[in-house]
Amino acid sequence: MSQVRVTFFATDENNHPVAPLTKSDFAVIDSELVVRNFRNFTPADETSLDVVALVDLSESVALRLGVAMSAVLQLVAREQSMPDDNIAVLTFGGTFEGTIGGALGGMQPAILCANGCRAADAMNRLLAVKSGGTTPLFDALLFGAEFVSHHRRAGLRPVLILFSDGNDTISMHSAREALDAVLNEGALIYSVDMRTSGHQSSKQRAGSTFLRQVSDATGGRYFPLRFAPNDGAATVLNAALEDLRASYVVTYDLPSHQAGFHSLCLMPTHNLNLTFHSRNGYYYEPSVR
Amino acid sequence: MKSTLLLVLVLSSVSVAWAAPLGIYQHGTVVRMRMGDCMLMHRGFMNQFGPPQAAAAEESCPEYTLVADKVVFLIVGKSSNQLVPLAEVIDFRFQNKELAVRVDDARHESRFAIKEMTLRSEWELVQKHIEYQLNDSPRQPVDTSMTLRSRE
């Protein structure tokens, strides 16, 4: 019998992770069917984070790039405070003086540092970024997913911290393809919205909506950069770590053998103040004998 | 005005408080949930005959299949965030052509529109028929090993 395995955490009305949970605190809605009989329910076995910061350097975020890069530098500064953790920084759009692999930025997403981002040459690269150009956001998410795939380590939760305004302008791939790639790697997106404060155009709102949706769809979270300009990185990283510690894994028998995408969400059984965060679905493909 | 409001609040909480001990509540289990359109909730004159309202049309509301002893209800919330706790058994009662569902084991009820009502025996026949069709329809054999493509 095929089983579905879902990793999740819950937050309360103040958006704080909730622990401990019991299996009677929630039900799973799998392709509209309510599932309450679980095979297994345990705390998640991932012990730490594998962080990939994916930074939008395009012209549309130029005004906020300084704040975002400051947050990225804070993130890198914390690399050694997290045992076994790895922080990598990838960028898309914009220009900079040199990257690993020799790319010069712009249309193609690039790796600024894959580990050891605190090293002098890596810091120089981080400090040398300049904003400009178009926004291949969806392509960058695929690139990030591929990076996660190549750098996967057992027991670590892959987390993409996406600094962007959410407005793609030129990708070759679609939003759906980008999201599927991230979901397939089991990575969570924690998005930091770089849009400017004040009056929002419909395009800006659409970008924020996209960031919120991809974060929710992967079981991650959404943060507006304007709410925490001075400690943005710490806020996001702490949230990801707290979410990790409050995570559980539930398994249950596949409720429907229909091939294709199965939507997924967890709902409370008693306390309606609880919000559950998990990926929003999975693909089921019956194999042919 | 304030006293009227207070009186309404007191009466409503008293009615909920009395409903449980008096055994007014029926019991049921939610077996299905989906997000459907909210048009059932927006059947006022302006919504029927006024200009198109994209926002109302786009909003989605939770729709639950609630299986009770003799009847199966399809109930619809009035807004996207009107949720039913998905406990094994929930308490509900009829109230002014709507279904009032007891929420969070508290003296609080949430009212849902009834979209459909079916006798449970008929509903079960239909479910069996659907299940039979799904199982009997020509399809590729399923490998019973782990076949989920994704990691989770």
Side-chain angles (χ1 to χ4, degrees):
Chain A
M1 175 67 78
S2 300
Q3 285 185 23
V4 185
R5 183 177 188 270
V6 185
T7 304
F8 71 95
F9 63 93
T11 49
D12 62 17
E13 60 270 42
N14 299 316
N15 216 16
H16 294 140
V18 176
L21 290 172
T22 68
K23 63 180 178 182
S24 61
D25 287 330
F26 65 94
V28 176
I29 298 163
D30 185 319
S31 305
E32 300 181 9
L33 297 170
V34 180
V35 179
R36 297 185 187 85
N37 294 325
F38 305 126
R39 284 201 159 223
N40 205 4
F41 172 72
T42 55
D45 53 5
E46 294 157 321
T47 54
S48 200
L49 300 177
D50 202 354
V51 176
V52 177
L54 192 53
V55 189
D56 183 349
L57 302 180
S58 66
E59 195 174 353
S60 62
V61 297
L63 292 174
R64 308 288 282 168
L65 185 61
V67 181
M69 284 315 293
S70 164
V72 172
L73 290 170
Q74 286 174 38
L75 200 65
V76 169
R78 290 194 53 173
E79 186 175 10
Q80 288 185 337
S81 66
M82 297 187 298
D84 299 327
D85 275 3
N86 192 15
I87 294 178
V89 181
L90 317 184
T91 58
F92 58 100
T95 57
F96 38 87
E97 288 172 0
T99 58
I100 293 171
L104 290 172
M107 288 287 290
Q108 296 300 319
I111 303 167
L112 274 194
C113 53
N115 51 38
C117 289
R118 285 162 62 89
D121 58 336
M123 290 299 274
N124 287 338
R125 280 197 295 274
L126 290 174
L127 293 168
V129 298
K130 291 189 176 77
S131 64
T134 51
T135 319
L137 171 59
F138 306 150
D139 288 352
L141 282 170
L142 263 116
F143 186 78
E146 204 171 305
F147 181 88
V148 165
S149 170
H150 289 136
H151 293 79
R152 178 173 290 284
R153 288 186 292 164
L156 298 190
R157 169 179 293 182
V159 165
L160 283 173
I161 301 183
L162 173 62
F163 294 85
S164 178
D165 63 358
N167 287 313
D168 183 283
T169 57
I170 197 161
S171 282
M172 292 171 67
H173 297 90
S174 67
R176 185 70 246 178
E177 287 172 314
L179 180 57
D180 279 349
V182 176
L183 285 171
N184 280 342
E185 295 309 324
L188 283 71
I189 294 178
Y190 283 72
S191 57
V192 182
D193 192 344
M194 289 172 71
R195 73 175 180 177
T196 49
S197 50
H199 176 71
Q200 309 296 332
S201 66
S202 59
K203 189 182 171 190
Q204 283 177 316
R205 284 196 296 273
S208 299
T209 302
F210 173 78
L211 293 177
R212 212 179 273 276
Q213 285 175 342
V214 291
S215 302
D216 288 347
T218 58
R221 297 219 235 174
Y222 164 90
F223 297 88
L225 183 63
R226 67 181 187 279
F227 284 166
N230 298 320
D231 63 349
T235 304
V236 178
L237 198 57
N238 287 343
L241 283 165
E242 284 175 15
D243 296 347
L244 174 78
R245 291 183 199 116
S247 289
Y248 290 86
V249 177
V250 66
T251 58
Y252 56 90
D253 293 339
L254 189 67
S256 158
H257 285 78
Q258 194 126 18
F261 186 76
H262 289 228
S263 63
L264 198 62
C265 94
L266 277 71
M267 299 291 291
T269 49
H270 299 282
N271 182 358
L272 290 180
N273 291 322
L274 293 182
T275 303
F276 291 87
H277 305 259
S278 72
R279 58 184 303 152
N280 71 347
Y282 60 90
Y283 286 93
Y284 173 67
E285 290 174 353
S287 49
V288 182
R289 277 199 180 119
Chain B
M1 182 65 187
K2 271 186 181 175
S3 57
T4 310
L5 185 64
L6 192 66
L7 185 66
V8 168
L9 279 173
V10 167
L11 284 176
S12 65
S13 63
V14 164
S15 71
V16 175
W18 283 354
L22 290 176
I24 288 171
Y25 284 114
Q26 298 181 52
H27 311 293
T29 302
V30 173
V31 296
R32 215 177 173 101
M33 178 199 173
R34 65 182 285 268
M35 296 305 283
D37 68 57
C38 300
M39 296 311 289
L40 193 69
M41 302 297 111
H42 300 284
R43 283 187 178 162
F45 178 84
M46 282 308 289
N47 279 290
Q48 293 237 14
F49 302 104
Q53 293 182 341
E58 280 171 13
E59 197 187 349
S60 58
C61 291
E63 190 176 291
Y64 298 92
T65 304
L66 173 62
V67 179
D69 192 25
K70 301 262 172 57
V71 179
V72 177
F73 302 91
L74 195 59
I75 58 174
V76 185
K78 295 169 184 176
S79 65
S80 59
N81 57 3
Q82 191 185 0
L83 301 173
V84 164
L86 293 181
E88 191 78 44
V89 177
I90 60 169
D91 298 336
F92 67 92
R93 64 181 176 129
F94 287 100
Q95 196 179 39
N96 300 332
K97 297 180 185 173
E98 292 183 318
L99 216 65
V101 176
R102 214 168 156 205
V103 174
D104 201 14
D105 300 332
R107 291 175 178 179
H108 171 63
E109 290 177 339
S110 191
R111 287 164 63 175
F112 291 81
I114 301 172
K115 189 174 175 183
E116 282 176 34
M117 287 169 69
T118 315
L119 282 175
R120 182 166 173 172
S121 52
E122 282 180 20
W123 180 82
E124 282 172 346
L125 275 177
V126 171
Q127 296 305 305
K128 274 182 190 162
H129 181 67
I130 292 170
E131 203 174 319
Y132 175 78
Q133 280 199 323
L134 280 173
N135 291 332
D136 202 44
S137 60
R139 60 172 184 165
Q140 294 169 335
V142 174
D143 186 344
T144 52
S145 63
M146 186 63 175
T147 49
L148 299 182
R149 192 182 79 181
S150 52
R151 281 193 173 75
E152 290 182 359

